[in-house]
Amino acid sequence: MEAGGLEWLLVPMRQLVSWGAAGAMVFGGVVPYIPQYRDIRRTQNAEGFSTYVCLVLLVANILRILFWFGRRFESPLLWQSIIMIITMLLMLKLCTEVRVSNELNIKRRSFAVADSKDEEIKAPPKRSYLDFDLNYFWHWSKFTDYVQCVLTFTGVTGYITYLWLDSSLFVETLGFLAVFTEAMLGVPQLYRNYQNRSTEGMSVKMVLMWTSGDTFKTVYFILNQAPFQFSICGLLQVFVDIAILLQVYLYSYYPQKPVSHTTHPASTKAL
């Protein structure tokens, strides 16, 4: 009787834990970007955040959704990809608006100075997705250009996946590319910090949340016996997160260049 009563209590508790873990998988991935989004909105400066992070996550999650059509993994992982794509598009929209706004402010100040010298200082030319200039890839002036790029990539990869969906080799390779691309998430930020010899402008909270989230995610993959690609690349992602945290420590205690406390307009290289 006592064992039966205990079992009656444990079953709903296990179910609640299962639902909680699934919810954490679906929404936990977007939580690290909330402090970064708020910082950019508050300071109107996106210089410290590399939007190539958005590119990596968009590609990874689009490929993961296509992988699902070939190998039906758990639904929470599918919903996580959908929510992450929406989040990355919102991040791109904000960063583009901030950068364009800062460029317009620079132009106005330049015109004000130029009036006294009877000369005109031109603002940087607008860049478009349809320019097909690789030197300015992912540095466009309008959010709609990023949306066009994402839709084109989705259409092309979706068509190829449809043609090769019966090939197990293609499907497994697609799954590996999806999670490996996501494992490289922190590399653009890692390289950007190395170039700047500083982590100024990057949200440390975001990276800490990356690390805790990726650790939880990797353990979830292993315990739920997700496809092996997920577990291997999850471990790689944790190592990259730790490397970025080491940069935070090194550049804070052993600065490589003078740190300015003034607000700088967003550079096009950051975006």
Side-chain angles (χ1 to χ4, degrees):
M1 187 74 176
E2 183 179 347
L6 187 60
E7 186 67 23
W8 176 83
L9 181 63
L10 288 176
V11 169
M13 286 183 64
R14 287 173 186 163
Q15 189 65 46
L16 285 174
V17 171
S18 177
W19 288 343
M25 282 301 302
V26 173
F27 297 103
V30 306
V31 172
Y33 299 96
I34 295 176
Q36 184 71 72
Y37 186 93
R38 294 177 63 183
D39 286 347
I40 294 173
R41 199 169 190 79
R42 176 176 55 82
T43 63
Q44 289 297 294
N45 181 11
E47 187 177 0
F49 176 72
S50 173
T51 53
Y52 282 109
V53 169
C54 300
L55 174 61
V56 169
L57 277 176
L58 285 168
V59 170
N61 285 282
I62 289 169
L63 293 179
R64 186 194 285 186
I65 291 173
L66 296 176
F67 177 49
W68 182 84
F69 287 99
R71 186 172 177 182
R72 301 298 175 92
F73 48 80
E74 289 191 328
S75 297
L77 299 179
L78 176 65
W79 282 106
Q80 180 198 41
S81 293
I82 296 172
I83 297 297
M84 183 61 74
I85 289 172
I86 296 172
T87 303
M88 289 303 100
L89 290 175
L90 290 174
M91 287 292 295
L92 276 174
K93 187 174 186 296
L94 175 64
C95 289
T96 306
E97 289 174 350
V98 167
R99 177 172 58 82
V100 171
S101 175
N102 286 332
E103 286 179 354
L104 288 174
N105 288 336
I106 293 172
K107 182 178 179 181
R108 291 192 188 100
R109 288 198 296 270
S110 298
F111 274 130
V113 174
D115 287 342
S116 61
K117 298 182 179 179
D118 295 326
E119 60 183 18
E120 181 179 308
I121 303 175
K122 295 183 179 179
K126 291 184 177 181
R127 301 296 175 183
S128 170
Y129 164 63
L130 297 177
D131 289 341
F132 299 108
D133 189 342
L134 293 179
N135 293 323
Y136 294 97
F137 177 77
W138 214 248
H139 299 284
W140 303 311
S141 304
K142 292 183 179 179
F143 173 66
T144 52
D145 291 313
Y146 294 95
V147 175
Q148 289 176 27
C149 181
V150 171
L151 291 176
T152 301
F153 176 79
T154 303
V156 172
T157 53
Y159 181 67
I160 294 173
T161 301
Y162 174 76
L163 294 178
W164 290 86
L165 200 57
D166 294 331
S167 170
S168 59
L169 177 61
F170 173 82
V171 171
E172 293 300 325
T173 303
L174 182 66
F176 175 77
L177 288 175
V179 292
F180 181 76
T181 304
E182 185 175 357
M184 295 295 100
L185 165 66
V187 173
Q189 192 66 56
L190 185 74
Y191 181 66
R192 180 171 182 77
N193 296 341
Y194 173 76
Q195 278 188 316
N196 293 342
R197 298 295 193 275
S198 171
T199 57
E200 184 182 13
M202 181 195 74
S203 172
V204 179
K205 289 181 182 178
M206 177 185 71
V207 182
L208 287 171
M209 290 179 182
W210 273 356
T211 309
S212 58
D214 292 338
T215 302
F216 169 81
K217 184 170 61 178
T218 304
V219 173
Y220 182 91
F221 292 155
I222 295 172
L223 293 180
N224 288 273
Q225 298 180 339
F228 74 96
Q229 300 100 321
F230 286 76
S231 302
I232 294 173
C233 294
L235 290 171
L236 178 59
Q237 200 166 356
V238 172
F239 289 140
V240 174
D241 295 339
I242 293 173
I244 296 177
L245 290 175
L246 286 175
Q247 283 184 323
V248 173
Y249 172 78
L250 289 174
Y251 295 146
S252 297
Y253 290 92
Y254 306 98
Q256 304 293 307
K257 68 175 186 178
V259 178
S260 173
H261 296 285
T262 57
T263 302
H264 297 282
S267 167
T268 54
K269 292 183 180 180
L271 302 168

